[in-house]
Amino acid sequence: MPLTRKAYRAAILHSIADPAEVGIEASYEYFEDGLLVVDNGQISALGHASELLASLPADIEITHYQDALITPGFIDTHIHLPQTGMVGAYGEQLLDWLNTYTFPCESQFTDQAHAEEVAGIFIKELLRNGTTTALVFGSVHPQSVNAFFEAAQKLDLRMIAGKVMMDRNAPDYLTDTAESSYLESKALIERWHGKGRLHYAVTPRFAPTSTPEQLTLAGQLLGEYPDLYMQTHISENLQEVEWVKELFPERKGYLDVYDHYQLLGERSVFAHGVHLCDDECARLAQTGSAVAFCPTSNLFLGSGLFNLPMAEKHKLNVGLGTDVGGGTSFSLLQTLNEAYKVMQLQGARLSPFKSLYLATLGGARALRLEERIGTLQPGTDADFLVLDYNATPLLSYRLKQSKSIAETLFVLMTLGDDRTVAQTYAAGNLVHQR
Ligand code: GUN
Ligand code: ZN
C-alpha cells in the first residue's frame, strides 16, 4: 500500500495523564504552533511545527488551521442509539420516563428501515459533535446493532455497541427471553466483534429488566469470547436502587447483583453510579471496572450528583457519557459544561484539564483502548478534531480576552457545542466538515 502522509498545523493539545494522579501541569502537552503528522490513518509524529517541519519532505501536504485547536476525538462512554428521537422528553424521573417515553420510542426499531435511518442520523450527530468513539446501547432488536455497525464500518470508526438484553419488567413488545438474548447476542458477536475497529458489548439493560437466568447467560457470554465489553446501568435513581433491593433481596446491594453474575471486569462500564457507596466504588476499582459519568442526564432526570472525588479516591476509571436520550446533548463539550456545575454543587472543582482528560484519555482508559485512542501519541489511531475559536461571535470575542490555554480550554467547554467542531477526522479520514 502506498504511504499516504499528511500533516496538520494548528495549536495542539492532548491529555497524557490523569491530573488526579500527576497534577495538572504534568497531565497535558500543549503546542502553541504544533504539527500533527498522519501516515495511513495513524499518527506518526507530534511536536512543535518549527522543529518537525525541518524533518519532513518539502512536498508534504500540510493543512494549516488558523485560530483553532486540535485535540483527540472525544469518547462517549454511554449513549443510546434508539433514543435519538426522544431527547428532551418532559416531566418524569427514570422509571416513569422509561415507561412513558423510552420503551415506546425503542419499539420502533422492529422496523429495519427505521433502524437504518436512525443509525445514519446518530452517527452523523456523533461526528458533528466531535465524538469519534462511543459505547452504544442498541435496542432489544439485533437490527439496531447491525444498522449501527454497518454505518460505522463504512467510515472506519472505532465503535462499541450491543443489543439490549431484557426479559422482564418491560412491555411484551420489547422483551426477549434469556435464551433468545443469548443467541442473538452471540450471532452479533460472531458477525462484528473485532471486525476492523468494531467491538461488541454484552448489554443487559439494568438489573430490574433481567431475570437471574438472563444475567447468568450474560456472564457466560463474557467468558466465551476474549475482550468483549459489558455495559449496563447502576445506581442512577433512588427508586431504582430500592427496586433492585426488592428484586434481589439475597444480594448485598445493587453492585453485588452484577458481581454475583460475573459482570464486573476490565471491559465493564457501568452508567451513572450516582448513588454508589464507598465499598461499591472500591469493588469496581478492584475489578478494573469503569463508571460513565453522565451529568446532563443526571440533572435532566433529577437523578442526583455524581461524586467524582470519591471515584478518584478509589482510583476508579471514569469516562464521560452523554446518555442521550436521558441526556440532553450529543456534545461532550456541553456535557463538560454540566459536569463542572455538578462539581460546583458539591463544593468541588473540575479543572479544564481534568475535563479534557475525562472526554479523551480517561474515556479511552475506561474502555481499555488507551494504546489506540484518547491521545495524539505517535502510533495511535488518527482520530482527532479541529475546534474553531471563531465558531460563534461570542466565543470569538471571549477567547480574544483569554490569557492562557487553561482559560481557552475552559471557555471552549463552557460556551462550546457542535458549532465549535469544525472538522472531525477518524483513522486519518475527514468524516465531518462543518
Ligand atoms: N436505566 C435503564 N435503562 C435506562 C435508559 O435507557 N436510560 C437511563 N438513563 N437509565 C436507564
Ligand atoms: Zn443510559
Side-chain angles (χ1 to χ4, degrees):
M1 194 165 70
L3 182 71
T4 60
R5 169 178 281 186
K6 288 186 178 169
Y8 302 87
R9 185 170 182 176
I12 303 180
L13 174 69
H14 70 155
S15 274
I16 53 173
D18 184 351
E21 285 176 10
V22 302
I24 286 173
E25 287 314 311
S27 78
Y28 69 93
E29 281 184 327
Y30 175 59
F31 305 93
E32 194 175 350
D33 178 15
L35 197 75
L36 184 74
V37 186
V38 175
D39 284 350
N40 290 334
Q42 293 200 358
I43 295 166
S44 60
L46 168 68
H48 297 286
S50 57
E51 291 167 18
L52 270 184
L53 282 171
S55 67
L56 293 170
D59 61 350
I60 186 170
E61 184 186 325
I62 299 177
T63 307
H64 196 166
Y65 293 115
Q66 308 274 0
D67 271 352
L69 181 67
I70 289 179
T71 69
F74 296 143
I75 299 171
D76 186 343
T77 60
H78 184 66
I79 187 165
H80 298 256
L81 180 148
Q83 295 175 17
T84 305
M86 56 155 293
V87 180
Y90 177 77
E92 307 291 353
Q93 293 211 354
L94 178 64
L95 301 178
D96 294 324
W97 173 85
L98 284 171
N99 287 314
T100 310
Y101 298 113
T102 316
F103 293 152
C105 185
E106 294 196 4
S107 74
Q108 298 173 66
F109 286 75
T110 44
D111 176 8
Q112 174 77 26
H114 180 77
E116 285 170 16
E117 182 195 358
V118 179
I121 294 168
F122 178 82
I123 286 187
K124 268 210 185 97
E125 205 58 33
L126 290 177
L127 299 174
R128 289 182 60 254
N129 283 280
T131 298
T132 47
T133 293
L135 175 56
V136 179
F137 266 63
S139 68
V140 75
H141 318 94
Q143 51 267 43
S144 65
V145 174
N146 280 323
F148 174 68
F149 277 146
E150 270 164 23
Q153 189 177 42
K154 285 195 185 115
L155 294 170
D156 196 10
L157 305 177
R158 189 172 289 284
M159 290 288 172
I160 314 168
K163 162 209 133 57
V164 159
M165 305 168 79
M166 74 174 158
D167 65 346
R168 66 166 170 174
N169 291 322
D172 288 345
Y173 62 75
L174 210 58
T175 46
D176 50 19
T177 66
E179 193 191 2
S180 73
S181 71
Y182 172 83
L183 293 173
E184 287 175 351
S185 300
K186 204 173 169 81
L188 289 166
I189 293 164
E190 298 277 352
R191 177 162 177 201
W192 294 110
H193 185 55
K195 278 258 178 80
R197 298 209 294 159
L198 305 177
H199 314 259
Y200 193 82
V202 175
T203 308
R205 178 169 217 121
F206 67 155
T209 48
S210 286
T211 58
E213 294 70 40
Q214 187 167 57
L215 294 174
T216 302
L217 288 175
Q220 193 176 314
L221 275 173
L222 292 175
E224 285 178 37
Y225 296 88
D227 297 340
L228 273 183
Y229 288 86
M230 196 294 300
Q231 58 179 343
T232 190
H233 297 90
I234 193 165
S235 297
E236 173 180 5
N237 168 288
L238 289 173
Q239 266 186 316
E240 170 212 12
V241 175
E242 285 310 308
W243 193 23
V244 172
K245 283 186 194 154
E246 285 165 27
L247 289 168
F248 298 90
E250 70 285 9
R251 303 268 64 92
K252 275 185 297 189
Y254 201 156
L255 183 69
D256 192 46
V257 175
Y258 296 135
D259 207 350
H260 178 76
Y261 293 101
Q262 301 185 5
L263 299 177
L264 279 58
E266 292 202 338
R267 285 177 177 73
S268 295
V269 179
F270 294 86
H272 306 296
V274 170
H275 305 287
L276 289 170
C277 65
D278 221 45
D279 287 353
E280 289 177 316
C281 277
R283 178 66 184 150
L284 284 166
Q286 183 190 35
T287 54
S289 306
V291 170
F293 171 25
C294 305
T296 78
S297 170
N298 297 159
L299 295 172
F300 184 73
L301 293 178
S303 303
L305 306 175
F306 179 68
N307 190 340
L308 182 62
M310 177 161 84
E312 283 179 340
K313 185 181 83 183
H314 289 285
K315 297 193 166 34
L316 173 57
N317 275 333
V318 175
L320 209 60
T322 60
D323 193 32
V324 160
T328 48
S329 174
F330 276 79
S331 169
L332 283 179
L333 293 172
Q334 273 309 293
T335 304
L336 288 168
N337 182 18
E338 299 306 298
Y340 178 80
K341 297 169 193 169
V342 165
M343 290 305 113
Q344 279 278 41
L345 286 167
Q346 299 177 93
R349 285 200 187 168
L350 187 62
S351 100
F353 294 104
K354 177 72 186 199
S355 288
L356 176 69
Y357 173 80
L358 287 173
T360 58
L361 178 55
R365 285 184 174 165
L367 302 175
R368 306 286 163 180
L369 285 170
E370 66 271 28
E371 303 296 320
R372 301 269 27 103
I373 57 171
T375 71
L376 300 173
Q377 302 285 13
T380 66
D381 301 353
D383 292 358
F384 62 95
L385 314 177
V386 183
L387 302 178
D388 175 10
Y389 290 169
N390 299 316
T392 68
L394 177 62
L395 186 70
S396 181
Y397 178 67
R398 175 63 183 87
L399 288 181
K400 286 194 176 63
Q401 325 302 318
S402 173
K403 293 178 185 63
S404 65
I405 183 60
E407 185 178 350
T408 294
L409 185 59
F410 186 63
V411 170
L412 282 169
M413 288 162 174
T414 307
L415 299 183
D417 52 28
D418 53 342
R419 295 168 297 180
T420 316
V421 180
Q423 281 89 15
T424 303
Y425 288 86
N429 301 311
L430 182 64
V431 289
H432 164 66
Q433 162 78 51
R434 191 187 56 199

